[in-house]
Amino acid sequence: MEQLNDYKIAFRGLKSGDHAFEFAISDALFEAFENPEVKGGSGVARVRLDKSETQLVCDVEIEADVVVPCDRCLEDCTIAVDYEGRLVVKFSEEELEYDGEVMWLFPGESEVNLAHYIYESIILSLPYQRVHAEGECDPAMMARLTIGTEEELQAIEQRATQSEEQSGEWEKLAALKAKMEENEQ
Ligand SMILES: [Zn+2]
């Protein structure tokens, strides 16, 4: 998981107060976590870190484009993710579990790795339904997947055109009939 070293902040040498960091998000982040649902992505994570004696407060902003299979046509589909959240890093001699808000480090540690937090925040920001914008699905895939309904649709269209033509004929006939009747009078 060497790729994940790119998301570390070495905070030990930092002065108290605000510090800004920027991390590039690339396919490597998603590959490292081996999530079959995500094919890749790119973007940026901006971190404002407020260092104090007892904790680090990280305000994180993520803007990323994530590539996932489209729920409708199964082809690659890019979903824009916008995330804003806060991660607090605290210190304890005890080994404590990260609960989604507070991450615990041992007092002697000098680096915090945000890879997992950034990855998880992106995954949790993905919409429930992941589909292309209307009309942007792969038409070949759609035809293959919906062949039954496609045929039905064509049949309905054909029926509609036929009846339209017929009703056109009837209108013409009716007009002709009316004209003839007028002439007779
Ligand atoms: Zn699609």
Side-chain angles (χ1 to χ4, degrees):
M1 290 230 190
E2 208 179 289
Q3 308 94 307
L4 303 184
N5 289 332
D6 296 345
Y7 300 92
K8 278 183 180 173
I9 294 177
F11 58 83
R12 188 57 67 192
L14 298 176
K15 288 179 187 159
S16 291
D18 281 352
H19 303 271
F21 298 88
E22 206 170 287
F23 299 98
I25 293 163
S26 67
D27 291 345
L29 176 67
F30 301 99
E31 281 161 16
F33 288 99
E34 292 173 2
N35 182 340
E37 276 182 62
V38 178
K39 297 181 170 186
S42 62
V44 66
R46 294 185 193 90
V47 180
R48 216 201 72 198
L49 181 147
D50 184 12
K51 186 187 176 185
S52 68
E53 289 292 313
T54 54
Q55 64 181 23
L56 309 167
V57 178
C58 303
D59 285 312
V60 183
E61 258 182 60
I62 299 169
E63 279 172 39
D65 285 327
V66 181
V67 182
V68 294
C70 170
D71 290 336
R72 213 186 290 134
C73 73
L74 308 179
E75 288 295 295
D76 286 359
C77 166
T78 303
I79 305 277
V81 167
D82 260 313
Y83 169 85
E84 266 182 57
R86 171 172 283 187
L87 171 71
V88 180
V89 181
K90 293 184 178 187
F91 301 89
S92 169
E93 297 284 358
E94 272 177 79
E95 198 166 329
L96 295 169
E97 284 284 324
Y98 167 61
D99 65 356
E101 284 172 26
V102 181
M103 188 190 276
W104 296 90
L105 296 181
F106 292 115
E109 288 187 77
S110 59
E111 288 179 331
V112 57
N113 193 332
L114 298 179
H116 193 262
Y117 178 81
I118 292 170
Y119 169 78
E120 201 177 69
S121 302
I122 293 172
I123 299 301
L124 295 175
S125 302
L126 284 170
Y128 185 66
Q129 201 189 19
R130 302 159 194 178
V131 290
H132 285 109
E134 208 55 54
E136 282 176 24
C137 282
D138 182 340
M141 282 297 279
M142 288 297 283
R144 235 175 293 162
L145 291 168
T146 58
I147 196 121
T149 48
E150 196 70 27
E151 275 170 356
E152 272 173 37
L153 196 73
Q154 274 175 7
I156 291 167
E157 261 171 10
Q158 213 168 6
R159 262 176 263 142
T161 349
Q162 271 171 5
S163 68
E164 220 170 80
E165 278 166 8
Q166 277 167 4
S167 74
E169 291 301 310
W170 284 117
E171 271 168 38
K172 276 185 222 161
L173 274 173
L176 199 66
K177 209 176 166 194
K179 232 178 193 178
M180 283 163 73
E181 276 169 2
E182 254 174 55
N183 288 344
E184 271 172 27
Q185 280 169 3

